[in-house]
Amino acid sequence: MHKLRLLIILAAIMLAIRPEFCTADDRIKVIIDTDIAEDIDDILCTAFALNSPEFEVLAITTVDGNVAARSRVARRVAQLYGVAQLPVAAGYVRNIPLQDTTYTGFSGGVRYGEVAPDEKGLPPESPLKADALIASLAERYPGEVSVVTIGSMANIGQLLTRFPESAAKLKQIVSNGGNFSGSEHRIG
């Protein structure tokens, strides 16, 4: 439900920036960092941003669990919205300080994997890992790129650790998330 709030925030931003006044130079440069395919909301949020004249989506990065399956779903969504060339990079399976690993589980939280069950017909994944892709785009567009995190913050943690100078060149990191129920309290 908390991700619905991000969708509402994105809608409010879109309403605040009227399309008739929005030029290519006015578009907000964003990178979507997502655990897409776990719930339908990340697919909807990504599709919303890709279809918006107010946003220039520079890349999608995937995070948490089965990042390879998530990358396939993100590439399929980009393909369906006519931006198959959009860089999509797999990110990190686990949060710092846990050592990252290759995910070997069955689903890894991916419930909508049937959207792209294999690589057939998909554009290639970025050769860069998520943090490196974010860093390279921050370097290319200093002070202009907003990272919108709608999954765990593992990729952002790695970015801040491995590429701190590049991370400082981001315009902002907008995070939607947080779980403050029961004994678990975490962001992302």
Side-chain angles (χ1 to χ4, degrees):
M1 190 62 162
H2 64 279
K3 291 184 182 179
L4 180 59
R5 284 183 279 154
L6 181 60
L7 197 56
I8 292 168
I9 290 168
L10 287 173
I13 290 170
M14 284 184 64
L15 290 174
I17 304 172
R18 306 213 16 132
E20 59 267 23
F21 300 115
C22 190
T23 66
D25 292 337
D26 295 332
R27 295 185 333 163
I28 301 166
K29 290 177 173 52
V30 297
I31 298 168
I32 299 172
D33 186 51
T34 176
D35 60 356
I36 197 166
E38 188 161 333
D39 295 308
I40 195 68
D41 56 348
D42 286 42
I43 294 173
L44 293 173
C45 189
T46 302
F48 179 84
L50 290 172
N51 199 40
S52 168
E54 288 81 13
F55 297 111
E56 179 183 354
V57 179
L58 301 176
I60 301 170
T61 55
T62 64
V63 66
D64 193 35
N66 193 338
V67 292
R70 294 183 195 285
S71 170
R72 289 193 306 269
V73 171
R75 287 181 282 146
R76 175 70 73 218
V77 171
Q79 189 177 50
L80 290 171
Y81 278 85
V83 288
Q85 77 289 352
L86 185 72
V88 175
Y92 291 87
V93 173
R94 297 164 47 168
N95 286 311
I96 294 173
L98 299 173
Q99 183 176 359
D100 200 54
T101 182
T102 301
Y103 189 81
T104 57
F106 174 68
S107 70
V110 175
R111 294 184 208 160
Y112 294 94
E114 69 274 4
V115 171
D118 55 42
E119 292 287 331
K120 250 184 239 170
L122 290 177
E125 185 176 71
S126 170
L128 299 175
K129 192 114 177 174
D131 58 341
L133 179 58
I134 295 168
S136 72
L137 290 168
E139 292 289 340
R140 186 180 309 160
Y141 304 104
E144 297 181 52
V145 178
S146 298
V147 178
V148 178
T149 67
I150 52 177
S152 85
M153 301 282 281
N155 291 340
I156 299 304
Q158 292 290 344
L159 171 73
L160 293 171
T161 302
R162 297 182 63 225
F163 302 100
E165 298 84 13
S166 298
K169 294 180 182 179
L170 290 169
K171 179 177 181 178
Q172 61 188 344
I173 299 170
V174 179
S175 181
N176 176 62
N179 180 0
F180 299 100
S181 60
S183 62
E184 185 178 352
H185 303 289
R186 65 185 173 96
I187 296 290

